[in-house]
Amino acid sequence: MKKYWQTARRKLSFEKTLVMAILNVTPDSFSDGGDFFSIDDALRQAESLVEAGADILDIGGESTRPASRRVSSEEEIRRVLPVVEAITGRFYIPVSIDTSKSEVAAPAIEAGAEIINDVSGLRFDEKIAQVAAAENSGLILMHLRGDFETMHKQSPVEDILKEVSEAFRRSIEKAESFGVKPEQIALDIGVGFSKTFNQNLELLAKLDKLVAEFPNFPMLVGTSRKSFIGKVLGDASVDERLGGSLASAVIAVWNGANIVRVHDVKATIEALKVVEAIKREL
Ligand code: 9MG
């Protein structure tokens, strides 16, 4: 059992699975129809996620979905900073900043975020590790291959478990070389990033092997509403993926995940309460 996860403001315990709720501030989410994000909308959304039982709010201002375009640091800061400030000022809930840019991570932590969610595992900007070390923040190291433009276009590797395991080791080593402590780090297999459809399924099916290989690091898994679920369900739209999202979160937790990143907080918590009740009888 991992002891705790060190963030910039507290130690998070893993007595139960932590539910990280997704709060996007990209133009297709909290837009007032134009270029501005309504802080009131963001606060309302945060309030409903907190009331539903979220343990962490993950705030992101740059979409990483296939075909997304990179936004400048200035634009990302303009999108996320007021929201991080407003939410951390109103709620006592850990906030993670979903960014792979150190220029965004630093002011976001200053504004009250306490975890950096780096989907690139320090591949896009290793100075993220400098920020995490200086601020004693949590640091999520997710697996992907390629750069921002090519991460969804990589040709498949033969052995995805070996690839993810080796990449985890490189990311951990890089983080520690900047002074990040092991207890600040969480690992993430990066479902939907640089993997084939079958490799996403294989990673979830065999997650227990990676968990056993990295026993000192919490494992985070994000499957919520992702396209592999749509494919399994016969081209189900994003709105039709709740059952599949819950099934994949249940499998991830059964196989050792400590944190799940989700859209549907209440339904996920209910599903995980049942998983944890069953697991206690093992
Ligand atoms: C930002 N983002 C999108 N998918 C993700 C996933 O699976 N894990 C993490 N940590 N972040 C993600």
Side-chain angles (χ1 to χ4, degrees):
M1 167 74 92
K2 284 100 195 161
K3 279 192 297 245
Y4 62 87
W5 187 17
Q6 179 68 58
T7 79
R9 289 186 171 192
R10 65 196 105 196
K11 292 177 176 26
L12 297 174
S13 113
F14 293 109
E15 270 155 35
K16 69 166 199 69
T17 310
L18 299 179
V19 173
M20 171 188 266
I22 299 166
L23 207 162
N24 287 324
V25 288
T26 49
D28 52 352
S29 41
F30 292 103
S31 165
D32 280 352
D35 216 15
F36 294 97
F37 301 108
S38 151
I39 298 296
D40 285 344
D41 275 354
L43 280 170
R44 260 193 297 278
Q45 170 80 353
E47 185 171 29
S48 84
L49 295 168
V50 170
E51 274 173 8
D55 299 296
I56 302 168
L57 298 181
D58 188 37
I59 299 177
E62 179 179 67
S63 175
T64 48
R65 282 193 288 252
S68 300
R69 305 255 308 252
R70 259 237 118 160
V71 297
S72 66
S73 303
E74 294 73 30
E75 173 60 16
E76 206 177 322
I77 288 169
R78 196 179 69 86
R79 291 177 183 182
V80 296
L81 222 58
V83 176
V84 169
E85 256 164 19
I87 289 177
T88 54
R90 175 80 64 89
F91 306 102
Y92 187 66
I93 184 169
V95 162
S96 73
I97 177 70
D98 161 18
T99 188
S100 49
K101 301 189 188 88
S102 56
E103 302 94 328
V104 178
I109 297 284
E110 196 82 357
E114 48 195 283
I115 298 163
I116 304 169
N117 176 16
D118 177 12
V119 294
S120 84
L122 302 176
R123 291 169 55 87
F124 297 172
D125 178 0
E126 62 183 22
K127 291 204 195 97
I128 286 256
Q130 240 167 36
V131 177
E135 303 290 344
N136 203 26
S137 73
L139 176 61
I140 298 163
L141 298 171
M142 199 195 82
H143 170 268
L144 58 69
R145 293 184 298 130
D147 54 29
F148 190 90
E149 284 71 31
T150 62
M151 63 188 171
H152 291 295
K153 299 178 191 153
Q154 294 292 305
S155 47
V157 289
E158 188 73 25
D159 183 342
I160 193 65
L161 262 99
K162 182 161 174 271
E163 156 65 28
V164 172
S165 161
E166 288 173 359
F168 278 168
R169 281 184 205 288
R170 285 193 296 273
S171 293
I172 293 166
E173 205 174 298
K174 200 185 277 186
E176 291 183 352
S177 75
F178 280 92
V180 178
K181 296 190 288 297
E183 58 267 29
Q184 293 174 253
I185 296 173
L187 302 174
D188 185 333
I189 55 178
V191 171
F193 290 82
S194 339
K195 282 124 198 146
T196 64
F197 167 69
N198 287 97
Q199 287 176 341
N200 287 315
L201 301 175
E202 183 184 355
L203 278 170
L204 289 167
K206 300 180 183 166
L207 186 70
D208 56 326
K209 297 189 193 320
L210 286 167
V211 169
E213 245 189 272
F214 297 91
N216 298 325
F217 298 95
M219 190 66 72
L220 192 157
V221 173
T223 57
S224 185
R225 301 183 187 174
K226 285 193 175 166
S227 63
F228 80 98
I229 294 171
K231 187 163 172 180
V232 171
L233 299 178
D235 274 339
S237 70
V238 169
D239 302 341
E240 298 167 328
R241 296 179 189 168
L242 175 60
S245 299
L246 296 178
S248 55
V250 163
I251 292 294
V253 170
W254 188 259
N255 282 336
N258 306 99
I259 312 156
V260 287
R261 183 178 180 274
V262 305
H263 299 87
D264 302 289
V265 172
K266 184 169 180 284
T268 305
I269 289 175
E270 286 170 4
L272 295 186
K273 275 189 179 159
V274 176
V275 175
E276 279 158 9
I278 297 171
K279 248 191 160 178
R280 278 195 289 276
E281 298 300 324
L282 275 177

